[in-house]
Amino acid sequence: MSDHSLSRRSFLVATGGLAGLAASGAPVFAALAKPASPVTLNVVDVAGNLALTQKAIDNYRKAKPDWVSRITFSKAPAPELPGKLKAQQDANSVDIDLVLTGTDALAAGIDQKLWVELMPAHAADLPKLQDIYLPPAWAMQSLAQGQGVVVTYYPSGPLFEYAPERVKTVPKTAEELLAWAKANPKRFMYARPANSGPGRTFLMGLPYILGDADPMDPIKGWDKTWAYLKELGETIESYPTGTTPTMKALGEGSVDMIASTTGWDINPRVLGVVPKSAEVFAVKGFKWVTDAHYMCIPKGVKPEKLAVVLDLMNFLLMPEQQAYAYDEGYFYPGPAVKNVPLSMAPKESQDALKEFGRPAYDKLIADNPTVLPLPADKMVAAFRKWDEEVGSRKGK
């Protein structure tokens, strides 16, 4: 499937050919009312999600020119978005129609009541999500509390990535990781969890690895985790505000080991930011802390645009469009819905994953349990505590 073409099935759905699909037994997506005239949509990405969805969003614009005339894209750091949205809402001048976000800004938006309620208010305007999602993606949907819709999914981590030519003894446990960091000061790094997938996955995965009292209660149940992070912090020079600087540091040789995930391992090696030779490991007791990206609609979106955004959501959840989520491994695997094999992805995605993917991931995913990230209120609390008690000790 080329970047600029639509399969017959996606074209049928995009142009309202739902009756035939219903007769064939395929899942029927919502049929929303067309706007009086085409609208312009403004999409803001705070998760790097456009790498996975922008081609599919462009496909929607091409398939439905009578619904949408233009789509603009912009990116922002996740911690900055809630304040910006709140200011627009207070001024009654919201100019953001769709937000693509990870669990970080999703949680902050739920906490600050920034999002339009989608479930159950708009359940009839969307697919029956439980029927189409992979089971872990459906589990991740619960974190949205009805205020977002999962668009992409991956098992995430926590994993650790290292330069094998510089790290000769690979840690097997959290204790050995700490000992390695102490023996090699300033050579381990991870980014601020509030704006980093690997950073927050490391943060939320540690309580399981360390056997903390309650992995889902960062305030009362993470005594071992907070003590470990503070001790580890004594060996860390700084915490970057995002993941990319950690990858560059590993690639340039200024650090030897970083926190990572499946996608953050694969994609920077595809791009040449990190050498192809970099390796990864998980420590004893590890569980996958799953991750997802969500589509959220800010409160204050104009009514004539709401139906179009909901229609776009339907389109992005179709298997043909989900296949673009394989990308070049950024969110590996990527698709949130069932029956989207890699063979459906564009050739460049298939080629990148053939060369830079890791067959060992299949076994690691099969052999280790998955757990959900923290719910919104607990995640906000965990980020705050990390900022105050761990991150504040270093210049960020």
Side-chain angles (χ1 to χ4, degrees):
M1 182 169 59
S2 75
D3 294 351
H4 302 294
S5 66
L6 288 171
S7 71
R8 175 171 169 75
R9 179 170 178 269
S10 62
F11 180 78
L12 278 170
V13 176
T15 54
L18 295 168
L21 288 176
S24 71
V28 176
F29 288 69
L32 288 138
K34 187 172 77 171
S37 59
V39 303
T40 295
L41 294 183
N42 299 312
V43 177
V44 174
D45 174 19
V46 296
N49 179 263
L50 286 173
L52 315 175
T53 58
Q54 186 165 347
K55 290 175 183 175
I57 294 172
D58 283 337
N59 283 346
Y60 177 80
R61 178 182 55 79
K62 293 167 189 171
K64 291 201 150 183
D66 50 345
W67 285 62
V68 62
S69 57
R70 183 166 170 257
I71 300 177
T72 66
F73 301 100
S74 59
K75 300 178 182 181
E80 293 179 7
L81 181 74
K84 180 178 181 178
L85 267 181
K86 186 72 168 60
Q88 289 188 6
Q89 289 168 346
D90 289 347
N92 196 28
S93 61
V94 173
D95 65 4
I96 297 169
D97 303 307
L98 176 66
V99 173
L100 302 170
T101 177
T103 51
D104 39 18
L106 169 75
I110 291 171
D111 186 56
Q112 298 178 42
K113 298 179 172 54
L114 303 179
W115 308 125
V116 168
E117 179 191 284
L118 297 173
M119 302 290 178
H122 291 282
D125 298 326
L126 291 163
K128 191 172 181 184
L129 299 177
Q130 187 171 3
D131 288 355
I132 66 168
Y133 279 151
L134 296 165
W138 171 244
M140 289 296 294
Q141 179 60 31
S142 67
L143 295 181
Q145 298 179 32
Q147 297 175 56
V149 170
V150 169
V151 65
T152 47
Y153 159 80
Y154 83 135
S156 192
L159 301 173
F160 301 95
E161 192 165 354
Y162 67 99
E165 68 277 11
R166 302 195 296 273
V167 178
K168 299 303 183 184
T169 304
V170 179
K172 294 182 174 61
T173 66
E175 292 73 24
E176 289 181 6
L177 175 65
L178 181 60
W180 183 91
K182 288 181 175 180
N184 299 273
K186 301 182 182 179
R187 306 304 292 177
F188 176 78
M189 174 186 279
Y190 68 99
R192 182 189 178 209
N195 197 40
S196 167
R200 67 174 174 270
T201 304
F202 175 44
L203 176 68
M204 291 186 286
L206 266 180
Y208 295 97
I209 293 166
L210 298 174
D212 241 326
D214 185 353
M216 297 302 283
D217 188 346
I219 304 305
K220 297 180 180 177
W222 284 18
D223 289 353
K224 294 177 182 178
T225 295
W226 295 119
Y228 184 95
L229 289 170
K230 289 172 187 176
E231 194 171 353
L232 180 65
E234 298 302 318
T235 75
I236 292 174
E237 186 170 23
S238 65
Y239 300 103
T241 54
T243 309
T244 299
T246 71
M247 295 291 158
K248 289 181 178 177
L250 179 65
E252 293 165 356
S254 54
V255 299
D256 300 330
M257 189 183 298
I258 59 174
S260 194
T261 63
T262 59
W264 275 102
D265 157 43
I266 296 171
N267 189 245
R269 289 187 299 117
V270 173
L271 299 176
V273 176
V274 173
K276 186 179 180 181
S277 60
E279 294 288 349
V280 294
F281 67 92
V283 296
K284 183 180 177 182
F286 132 95
K287 295 182 180 181
W288 292 104
V289 180
T290 56
D291 201 1
H293 289 159
Y294 298 80
M295 301 178 282
C296 296
I297 304 175
K299 289 180 179 176
V301 167
K302 294 179 174 61
E304 64 269 21
K305 290 189 175 187
L306 183 59
V308 181
V309 177
L310 291 167
D311 193 57
L312 172 60
M313 287 181 171
N314 279 272
F315 186 85
L316 296 182
L317 291 175
M318 290 162 39
E320 290 83 358
Q321 307 309 321
Q322 284 278 301
Y324 289 101
Y326 281 102
D327 181 51
E328 292 180 321
Y330 167 61
F331 213 62
Y332 182 81
V337 308
K338 300 171 186 173
N339 303 318
V340 188
L342 179 59
S343 59
M344 289 179 67
K347 184 179 184 298
E348 57 266 29
S349 294
Q350 297 185 44
D351 290 347
L353 291 170
K354 182 178 180 181
E355 182 174 357
F356 293 93
R358 298 189 191 274
Y361 279 153
D362 292 339
K363 181 173 172 55
L364 203 60
I365 291 170
D367 292 352
N368 291 278
T370 61
V371 295
L372 286 175
L374 295 172
D377 57 336
K378 300 289 180 64
M379 188 177 294
V380 170
F383 290 163
R384 186 179 299 121
K385 189 173 176 72
W386 186 92
D387 284 346
E388 292 172 354
E389 298 187 12
V390 181
S392 65
R393 297 181 174 205
K394 308 283 178 183
K396 298 193 288 294

